[in-house]
């Protein structure tokens, strides 16, 4: 996935330069879960500042590895704030703004009876599960935390051993349920409200003792060549208008 992001980033840059070398072009590294509201905001900023915003989307770890390797880009929005706090030491992430929260939930296919389904079902065989790799997407890291908060490390290993498939990111998890490759998963709750998912997926809330709200923060990148426009994007995302867009896509 990391190398796919590097290749797509190279293509984004080369196509932008060919299209208009004088028009400011921003690269926004965005976790898959937040792509829809960020695309809507990007269109508003593009029109206002006569710029182009290219969105590089993927798993949060792959995105950070990509920006660290390329040292190109302007903004970074991971699915979990831990990808900011754990990487501040590298010096690439500057100031940040908080634009909302996300929270994990149990996702169930609509053709399954969701009554009485809970975290225990991830170690049972009555329902098939897909779980995200904790080393790739933010929801994988969050799933690991949830299982360990619930019953400890042994439960985490048992649940992953019991899963029929290991996914790479939130989009991959939803697709597995829609395609009926699995019955249940743990995913970011906002994605269940998207038009392409809500006809197929129900959610079951997880007690906040185990699944805490995750802050969503946009970070300015040290090597940004368009800091003024990047900061304007950050300010807009944190504004009332930006918050309405986030809420529209199911974010808290």
């Amino acid at each position: 996935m990391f190398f796919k992001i590097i290749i797509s980033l190279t293509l984004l840059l080369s196509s932008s330069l060919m299209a208009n070398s004088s028009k400011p072009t921003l690269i926004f590294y965005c976790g898959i879960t937040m792509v829809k509201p960020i695309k809507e905001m990007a269109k508003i900023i593009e029109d206002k500042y006569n710029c182009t915003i290219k969105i590089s989307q993927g798993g949060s770890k792959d995105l950070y590895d990509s920006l660290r390797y390329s040292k190109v880009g302007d903004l970074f929005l991971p699915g979990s704030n831990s990808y900011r706090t754990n990487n501040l030491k590298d010096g690439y992430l500057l100031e940040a703004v908080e634009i909302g929260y996300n929270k994990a939930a149990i996702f169930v296919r609509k053709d399954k009876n969701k009554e009485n389904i809970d975290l225990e079902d991830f170690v049972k065989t009555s329902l098939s599960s897909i779980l995200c790799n904790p080393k790739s997407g933010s929801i994988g890291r969050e799933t690991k935390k949830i299982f360990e908060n619930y019953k400890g490390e042994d439960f985490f290993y048992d649940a992953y051993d019991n899963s029929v498939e290991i996914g790479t990111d939130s989009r991959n998890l939803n697709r597995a349920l829609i395609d009926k490759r699995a019955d249940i998963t743990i995913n970011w709750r906002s994605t269940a409200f998207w038009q392409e998912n809500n006809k197929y997926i129900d959610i079951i809330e997880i007690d906040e003792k185990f699944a805490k709200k995750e802050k969503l923060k946009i970070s300015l990148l040290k090597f940004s060549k368009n800091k003024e426009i990047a900061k304007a994007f950050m300010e807009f995302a944190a504004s009332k208008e930006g918050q309405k867009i986030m809420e529209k896509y199911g974010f808290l």
Side-chain angles (χ1 to χ4, degrees), residues 17-228:
L17 289 171
M18 289 173 63
N20 190 340
S21 59
S22 64
K23 194 173 185 179
T25 298
L26 283 74
I27 302 296
F28 195 132
Y29 297 89
C30 182
I32 286 172
T33 307
M34 291 76 64
V35 164
K36 287 182 181 289
I38 292 303
K39 278 186 175 179
E40 186 168 329
M41 292 184 206
K43 182 65 172 65
I44 294 169
I45 298 298
E46 284 178 329
D47 292 343
K48 184 173 182 179
Y49 292 92
N50 189 30
C51 65
T52 299
I53 299 174
K54 300 294 185 181
I55 297 175
S56 179
Q57 57 180 289
S60 297
K61 183 182 184 300
D62 292 326
L63 290 172
Y64 185 77
D65 288 344
S66 179
L67 72 87
R68 182 177 60 180
Y69 175 82
S70 67
K71 294 180 176 56
V72 171
D74 302 274
L75 296 166
F76 174 51
L77 174 58
S80 167
N81 193 46
S82 62
Y83 287 96
R84 172 177 167 80
T85 56
N86 292 346
N87 293 307
L88 281 173
K89 61 185 182 299
D90 292 340
Y92 302 136
L93 308 179
L94 303 182
E95 62 199 76
V97 294
E98 188 175 310
I99 64 167
Y101 293 88
N102 206 356
K103 189 175 183 292
I106 297 173
F107 281 33
V108 187
R109 279 173 32 197
K110 276 192 183 290
D111 60 343
K112 298 291 178 180
N113 183 1
K114 72 174 188 176
E115 294 298 321
N116 301 318
I117 293 177
D118 58 22
L119 292 174
E120 289 292 333
D121 285 283
F122 288 93
V123 296
K124 297 176 182 177
T125 58
S126 53
L127 294 169
S128 60
S129 65
I130 178 173
L131 297 170
C132 184
N133 185 341
K135 295 183 179 180
S136 62
S138 61
I139 189 57
R141 184 178 288 193
E142 179 65 13
T143 300
K144 182 176 186 291
K145 286 183 193 174
I146 290 168
F147 288 152
E148 290 180 342
N149 289 341
Y150 178 59
K151 280 195 173 178
E153 191 175 57
D154 287 346
F155 189 90
F156 157 69
Y157 284 117
D158 289 345
Y160 272 79
D161 286 344
N162 189 53
S163 64
V164 298
E165 189 176 336
I166 301 298
T168 57
D169 52 52
S170 60
R171 182 166 51 194
N172 182 231
L173 301 179
N174 288 331
R175 177 46 58 186
L177 266 60
I178 292 170
D179 291 344
K180 299 185 176 182
R181 303 199 312 268
D183 301 321
I184 58 174
T185 189
I186 290 179
N187 207 345
W188 295 121
R189 70 188 298 281
S190 58
T191 66
F193 298 90
W194 296 358
Q195 187 175 2
E196 64 265 35
N197 298 330
N198 60 22
K199 294 181 291 185
Y200 306 98
I201 294 169
D202 282 326
I203 65 170
I204 299 170
E205 300 289 357
I206 303 173
D207 194 308
E208 202 164 332
K209 289 187 297 184
F210 313 122
K212 296 177 172 55
K213 291 178 183 175
E214 281 289 338
K215 292 180 182 179
L216 297 173
K217 289 188 176 183
I218 301 176
S219 294
L220 179 67
L221 298 181
K222 178 181 179 180
F223 29 77
S224 171
K225 297 185 182 300
N226 305 282
K227 284 188 170 64
E228 185 176 338

